[in-house]
């Protein structure tokens, strides 16, 4: 058994105002399909991407999933501050601020993550940079890369004699940490108009102030980006909101909702 502590406080200085705060910890154990001895399970083929070391497309390369025998538990800490204010009857306004930190966040890297991490390690070992590395066979940088690949084989990717990838093994892993800071806003109002029935409006919005991934290879800001070159950080828009209106008269009810999601910028690194 595992216990996760939580402390919550609520203070109401006036009938119309309630202030709240909470702190808690949580954990997420790996799913049965994620932990266990290495073995190839579901397989498919890659549909996009390229290996920056060889310059060859990954289209059609086989990839298979596998459990991870060393996968650990994901732990989290959540802090929340907020208030609810009701200035008049049937009107409620709420604001909440949350700070969430994950340690050992469970993610599922894909083939792009694997080749990019190999590329980054190779550059650091050989002294080349993204700007001066040339993947063309026979060039000094490619010869150095081939030697590095031969001396440092990655168990998650199998390569042929030309060092082209022929099989990826995608294994869930624990990243160092993930930090999320967010604001949540809410408003509700209901009123009656005699023979016209009852009306209600509501508004919800979330603003992601921070979304940072810290990994062994460095940290990156992920909020508002598509994060196309990694499966570790799913896209998360900066703003999400919805506005709804209800109309109730007798036995009839009508409801309409408008939703808004801010743009997600495509980024290839």
């Amino acid at each position: 058994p595992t216990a996760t502590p939580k402390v919550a406080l609520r203070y109401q200085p006036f009938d119309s105002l309630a202030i709240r705060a909470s702190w808690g910890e949580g954990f997420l154990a790996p799913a049965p399909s994620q932990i266990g001895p290495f073995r190839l399970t579901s397989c498919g083929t890659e549909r996009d991407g390229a290996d920056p070391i060889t310059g060859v497309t990954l289209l059609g390369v086989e990839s298979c999933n596998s459990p991870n025998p060393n996968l650990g538990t994901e732990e989290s800490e959540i802090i929340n501050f907020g208030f609810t204010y009701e200035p008049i009857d049937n009107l409620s306004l709420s604001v909440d601020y949350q700070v969430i930190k994950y340690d050992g966040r469970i993610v599922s890297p894909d083939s792009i993550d694997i080749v990019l991490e190999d590329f980054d390690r190779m550059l650091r070992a050989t002294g080349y940079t993204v700007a001066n590395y040339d993947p063309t066979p026979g060039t000094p940088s490619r010869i150095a890369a081939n030697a590095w690949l031969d001396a440092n084989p990655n168990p998650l990717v199998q390569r042929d004699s030309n060092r082209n990838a022929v099989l990826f093994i995608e294994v869930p892993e624990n990243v160092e940490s993930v930090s999320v800071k967010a604001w949540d806003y809410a408003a509700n109002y209901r009123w009656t108009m005699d023979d016209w029935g009852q009306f209600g409006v509501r508004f919800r919005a979330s603003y992601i102030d921070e979304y940072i991934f810290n990994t062994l290879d460095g940290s990156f800001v992920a909020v508002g980006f598509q994060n196309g070159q990694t499966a570790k950080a799913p896209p998360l828009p900066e703003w999400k909101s919805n506005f709804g209106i209800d109309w109730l008269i007798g036995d009839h009810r009508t409801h309409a909702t408008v939703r808004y999601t801010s743009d997600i910028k495509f980024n290839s690194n």
Side-chain angles (χ1 to χ4, degrees), residues 9-231:
L9 301 174
R10 186 177 185 273
Y11 175 58
Q12 191 166 356
F14 315 107
D15 290 341
S16 60
L17 177 64
I19 302 171
R20 56 187 171 271
S22 64
W23 169 88
E25 293 183 343
F27 79 99
L28 177 65
S33 61
Q34 294 178 312
I35 190 167
F38 285 110
R39 66 183 188 279
L40 301 186
T41 56
S42 57
C43 297
T45 55
E46 297 298 322
R47 293 177 294 178
D48 57 13
D51 185 347
I53 293 181
T54 64
V56 175
T57 178
L58 302 179
L59 180 65
V61 176
E62 186 178 14
S63 63
C64 297
N65 294 322
S66 170
N68 182 349
N70 301 312
L71 190 63
T73 298
E74 173 183 307
E75 298 180 350
S76 61
E77 180 184 34
I78 304 174
I79 301 173
N80 181 86
F81 300 97
F83 70 87
T84 298
Y85 180 50
E86 299 178 351
I88 60 176
D89 291 341
N90 301 319
L91 173 61
S92 174
L93 306 171
S94 297
V95 176
D96 283 275
Y97 178 66
Q98 291 191 56
V99 178
I100 308 173
K101 182 179 180 181
Y102 300 93
D103 288 314
R105 184 72 185 264
I106 298 174
V107 298
S108 297
D110 62 9
S111 60
I112 297 295
D113 290 301
I114 295 172
V115 295
L116 286 179
E117 289 173 4
D118 267 0
F119 184 57
D120 181 63
R121 286 192 288 266
M122 181 276 296
L123 292 179
R124 284 183 288 174
T126 60
Y128 285 96
T129 66
V130 174
N132 64 21
Y133 177 76
D134 184 356
T136 304
T139 58
S141 58
R142 178 60 187 276
I143 292 173
N146 288 348
W148 182 87
L149 286 173
D150 294 342
N152 302 274
N154 187 338
L156 301 182
V157 54
Q158 295 181 12
R159 298 178 180 272
D160 61 17
S161 58
N162 294 318
R163 284 80 174 185
N164 295 326
V166 294
L167 172 65
F168 289 103
I169 304 174
E170 299 175 359
V171 179
E173 65 180 38
N174 298 101
V175 298
E176 289 292 286
S177 66
V178 180
S179 174
V180 181
K181 297 179 180 178
W183 291 89
D184 292 319
Y185 307 93
N188 298 278
Y189 183 55
R190 301 199 67 84
W191 73 98
T192 301
M193 295 183 64
D194 299 326
D195 296 336
W196 285 92
Q198 297 180 357
F199 293 83
V201 293
R202 74 178 188 281
F203 173 75
R204 301 283 188 278
S206 295
Y207 171 70
I208 306 301
D209 187 43
E210 179 179 282
Y211 180 37
I212 297 178
F213 272 69
N214 296 295
T215 70
L216 294 175
D217 299 316
S219 63
F220 59 92
V221 176
V223 64
F225 293 101
Q226 190 263 352
N227 305 311
Q229 289 285 52
T230 178

